[in-house]
Amino acid sequence: MNVNESIAVVLAASAIFYGTPLVFAAVGELLAERSGVLNLGVEGMMLIGAVTAFWCVQHLPGPDWFVLLLATLIGGVAALATALIHAILAVGLRANQIVSGLALTIFAGATGLSSYVGNATKLGGQPALREFSALNVLGLSNAPVVGPILFHQNALVYGSWALVILAWLYLYRTRTGLHLRAVGESPETADVMGVNVARYRYAHTLAGGLLAGVAGAYYSLAITPNWIDGMTSGAGWIAIALVIFAFWRPEATLAGAYLFGLLSSLGFVLQARQVHLPPEVFGALPYTMTVVVLVVVSTGWAKQRLGAPAALGTPYVREER
């Protein structure tokens, strides 16, 4: 048997493919939380991005690569607009961030705005006219072992790798990243230093929304190239848990996302290999893992090492400084 058809290689390639939307969503949530804003509306924003991007590939004219790029960006911008509501409520009006985020998920989620848009424009049941396909990078897609894993992925996978590198450089090698971490740790101190706390929180909450929209577009343009109501199936919640799992570090979100991607793809791969186990078992694995992660990181030992931004979820009122 060709080594590239071995179950280990197939699982590794599938883990990257299915874990990629979690990378986008988790890095976006990480940036928002580093500024001190907890965004529980990621799931709803992903669905807004998914339905908007799918509508674009069905209706916009132009070359496939251009339409796919434009659809992904528009999906991200649509989610950004949703994140703006959260930013106005959480930063501008200092509303409870948990309530605001949950309200947005209900408003934009599987029974809300995304569902209405999908049904009103009759997107359900249509196959995507364009989708992100796997590339043959440098002609190495058939190279033993590394070919399918590293050189036979779609463009958004490679974009997610660049995103993680840029996020790491931004957080730890730039003055703006240093200011961002200061805003999340101690907004009072950052304010004294001359950093505009509200501006940082607005900007990074919007960036988180944009990346959540891109993650949603990945579902409707790559994983299942069509529109299904509630198609992200709770991935937004997994992305939020993944930020904790990664200790608010972008490089660790990559490993965590691929672990969840592996669990998500395990059922498909084993069924293709004629391993017959109840599909419900495999479907529940990512969510079981999410619960385990949250339980583990809530222990006293973990809390001492988590490194959560000290001001996470806390509104900043300059007059109370």
Side-chain angles (χ1 to χ4, degrees):
M1 183 177 69
N2 187 329
V3 66
N4 288 346
E5 296 176 357
S6 67
I7 192 166
V9 172
V10 172
L11 276 175
S14 298
I16 293 174
F17 177 73
Y18 285 98
T20 293
L22 295 176
V23 176
F24 281 106
V27 170
E29 177 68 9
L30 183 150
L31 292 174
E33 292 192 13
R34 279 287 191 177
S35 75
V37 177
L38 177 65
N39 181 9
L40 297 183
V42 176
E43 176 77 3
M45 295 172 193
M46 288 177 69
L47 286 169
I48 288 291
V51 70
T52 308
F54 187 72
W55 183 92
C56 289
V57 298
Q58 299 299 85
H59 293 88
L60 296 183
D64 288 357
W65 69 267
F66 176 75
V67 173
L68 285 168
L69 175 62
L70 189 60
T72 304
L73 290 175
I74 292 176
V77 171
L80 180 150
T82 313
L84 178 60
I85 299 173
H86 181 60
I88 291 173
L89 292 172
V91 181
L93 302 178
R94 304 183 186 94
N96 185 294
Q97 297 179 11
I98 295 176
V99 174
S100 172
L102 290 175
L104 274 180
T105 287
I106 296 171
F107 165 72
T111 58
L113 183 60
S114 63
S115 177
Y116 173 78
V117 172
N119 292 325
T121 53
K122 298 181 171 55
L123 294 179
Q126 297 182 30
L129 298 180
R130 304 171 180 90
E131 63 183 275
F132 283 102
S133 302
L135 305 174
N136 183 6
V137 179
L138 303 175
L140 295 174
S141 63
N142 291 320
V145 182
V146 296
I149 299 173
L150 300 179
F151 301 103
H152 194 53
Q153 302 285 352
N154 63 61
L156 286 179
V157 170
Y158 300 113
S160 71
W161 295 351
L163 173 67
V164 170
I165 294 171
L166 290 174
W168 187 89
L169 291 173
Y170 173 65
L171 280 173
Y172 302 112
R173 291 292 184 271
T174 68
R175 180 181 296 274
T176 312
L178 176 64
H179 289 169
L180 171 64
R181 288 187 284 144
V183 168
E185 292 295 334
S186 175
E188 297 84 0
T189 304
D191 195 7
V192 170
M193 293 165 55
V195 177
N196 189 319
V197 174
R199 184 179 299 170
Y200 268 76
R201 289 189 165 182
Y202 267 107
H204 292 87
T205 303
L206 297 182
L210 177 72
L211 292 174
V214 173
Y218 190 92
Y219 274 90
S220 59
L221 305 183
I223 291 184
T224 54
N226 55 30
W227 163 253
I228 302 171
D229 206 8
M231 65 189 308
T232 54
S233 301
W237 300 108
I238 294 177
I240 294 170
L242 186 56
V243 175
I244 305 171
F245 176 77
F247 296 167
W248 287 267
R249 301 184 67 86
E251 71 277 16
T253 61
L254 196 68
Y258 291 162
L259 173 61
F260 281 97
L262 174 67
L263 296 176
S264 299
S265 63
L266 191 59
F268 306 127
V269 175
L270 291 182
Q271 285 178 17
R273 300 301 174 102
Q274 305 301 314
V275 179
H276 298 294
L277 289 173
E280 293 81 4
V281 173
F282 298 111
L285 279 178
Y287 309 104
T288 305
M289 186 65 182
T290 303
V291 173
V292 171
V293 166
L294 292 176
V295 169
V296 170
V297 300
S298 64
T299 62
W301 175 86
K303 281 182 177 178
Q304 296 174 0
R305 294 164 173 78
L306 280 179
L312 178 61
T314 306
Y316 176 62
V317 184
R318 192 172 196 179
E319 291 74 17
E320 294 178 357
R321 188 176 67 191

